[in-house]
Amino acid sequence: MPLDWTPLKELVASCDSFVLTSHMRPDCDAIGSEIGLALALETLGKRVRIVNGDTTPPHIAFIDPQTKVETLGQGVTPEEVHQADAHIVLDTSAWGQLGPMADVLRESGAKKLVIDHHLSGDDLGGAVIKDTTAEAVGRLVAEAIDALGVELTTEMAKPLFAAIATDTGWFRFSSVTAATYETVARLVEAGANPAETFSTLFDRNTIERVWLQGRVLQSIRTELDGRVAFGHATAEDFAETGAAPADTEDVVNRLLSISGVEVAVLLTWMPEDGKTKASLRSRSDFDVREVAEVFGGGGHAKAAGVRIPGPIPEAKAALLAELVSRMA
Ligand SMILES: [Mn+2]
């Protein structure tokens, strides 16, 4: 069912200045949706600022070539945010996700509108346009641009394409529908470049990172008849490749790509606190958060983490015993 964009149209009819914001640790859906909507509002003659509580991560800054996104406290004051007639929150409806922008919005008398696709959230005190079946807020913004009667430009299409492509894991999640491809076809027609976007986002590894990943992949061993995969990164792996701890990001998902593996565990030695960091992932109904919680960690059912005192072999033994008792 098409969304009712009346709350947005009414806001646009009654307000001249807008502040758009989104969640902490902003991703392409957050930033891309902000830029797409900001450009559309500017086309209608509105004054628009995008103000987040957090800075844009460097690797996605390319979707903001005009540097439209500002950070609260870095050249933007709460008073300036309060001066806007309306605040639009994108890609979250939770106070806890807004960081320092939460208090600024709470103290403001400006009209509020939330455009989101997340199931959970708070009452932020304004109108809400939410579709929890939407694969990305970027698609909702594309619809909003149509509803406002604004022509889609290349400058809007590029960040919105990045938003939809990344929130769908490059069009492979179950949230993807025919409507996703219809929207994306329009974005590409308007000038979005999928090949260039993919390359800019993902072909950016350092050689040290790829070397480290190779060593982690070599370390993989399976347990429980191939249902659990363990991999690790040791002090020697970091020393000999020159990679940094952050370079283990995403490798755990490679463990999960092995046929038959339901649970993947990546163990990383953290010399500064004498602990082993465990990243757990599940692709079945098995809840890895419950395992992490046994050792004082936390997370989600399908992705959790914990730091266990002691070296990698001890941490592996403790986690394996817990997994065996729960999965066997
Ligand atoms: Mn999103």
Side-chain angles (χ1 to χ4, degrees):
M1 205 177 76
L3 283 174
D4 179 7
W5 290 100
T6 307
L8 175 66
K9 290 187 210 170
E10 284 175 357
L11 203 66
V12 169
S14 62
C15 299
D16 287 321
S17 58
F18 293 78
V19 165
L20 312 187
T21 194
S22 188
H23 53 83
M24 299 295 280
R25 301 185 54 171
D27 55 12
C28 283
D29 195 28
I31 304 280
S33 297
E34 290 178 323
I35 294 171
L37 186 58
L39 292 170
L41 293 171
E42 285 173 358
T43 305
L44 296 169
K46 309 298 178 180
R47 283 178 287 123
V48 186
R49 290 180 84 167
I50 302 170
V51 184
N52 290 336
D54 213 347
T55 52
T56 303
H59 75 277
I60 64 168
F62 74 97
I63 67 171
D64 181 20
Q66 300 175 57
T67 323
K68 296 181 79 70
V69 179
E70 302 177 89
T71 308
L72 185 71
Q74 298 180 24
V76 193
T77 64
E79 291 69 35
E80 288 174 296
V81 175
H82 288 167
Q83 280 163 13
D85 299 329
H87 298 152
I88 302 181
V89 178
L90 295 148
D91 200 31
T92 181
S93 6
W95 287 121
Q97 298 242 306
L98 289 170
M101 279 298 283
D103 281 342
V104 177
L105 297 195
R106 269 199 195 96
E107 292 159 7
S108 164
K111 291 180 183 173
K112 284 192 197 72
L113 173 66
V114 175
I115 304 175
D116 189 22
H117 67 145
H118 293 96
L119 205 54
S120 59
D122 307 312
D123 178 1
L124 301 187
V128 178
I129 298 177
K130 184 180 283 207
D131 179 357
T132 57
T133 69
E135 65 284 57
V137 172
R139 175 164 70 82
L140 301 183
V141 169
E143 282 179 28
I145 291 171
D146 291 342
L148 293 172
V150 173
E151 194 186 338
L152 195 64
T153 63
T154 303
E155 290 69 32
M156 298 172 201
K158 284 186 165 185
L160 292 175
F161 176 83
I164 297 169
T166 54
D167 254 32
T168 57
W170 215 268
F171 311 107
R172 72 186 205 281
F173 295 164
S174 57
S175 58
V176 171
T177 66
T180 311
Y181 290 102
E182 284 165 14
T183 305
V184 162
R186 292 186 53 218
L187 297 175
V188 173
E189 273 166 9
N193 187 329
E196 184 185 273
T197 307
F198 185 93
S199 184
T200 309
L201 274 169
F202 300 110
D203 296 337
R204 57 182 184 89
N205 288 316
T206 62
I207 192 166
E208 292 83 3
R209 184 185 186 111
V210 177
W211 277 334
L212 181 78
Q213 290 175 351
R215 295 181 70 124
V216 172
L217 298 181
Q218 282 291 341
S219 79
I220 298 172
R221 300 291 180 273
T222 58
E223 306 283 352
L224 269 163
D225 297 324
R227 295 169 64 202
V228 179
F230 280 89
H232 60 244
T234 64
E236 296 78 55
D237 292 330
F238 289 108
E240 289 171 23
T241 59
D247 288 321
T248 60
E249 252 172 46
D250 303 333
V251 194
V252 67
N253 295 314
R254 299 277 291 143
L255 278 63
L256 213 52
S257 77
I258 299 165
S259 178
V261 168
E262 297 166 38
V263 172
V265 184
L266 177 65
L267 302 167
T268 307
W269 173 240
M270 310 300 270
E272 70 277 8
D273 58 2
K275 291 181 180 176
T276 295
K277 185 178 90 172
S279 302
L280 297 96
R281 297 288 183 278
S282 167
R283 64 168 175 190
S284 66
D285 292 337
F286 185 80
D287 189 335
V288 289
R289 175 179 54 195
E290 290 177 2
V291 176
E293 282 175 350
V294 170
F295 300 95
H300 307 278
K302 293 194 180 302
V306 61
R307 287 178 183 226
I308 300 174
I312 288 172
E314 288 174 25
K316 178 179 174 177
L319 282 163
L320 180 58
E322 194 62 36
L323 288 165
V324 167
S325 75
R326 288 165 182 266
M327 294 177 74

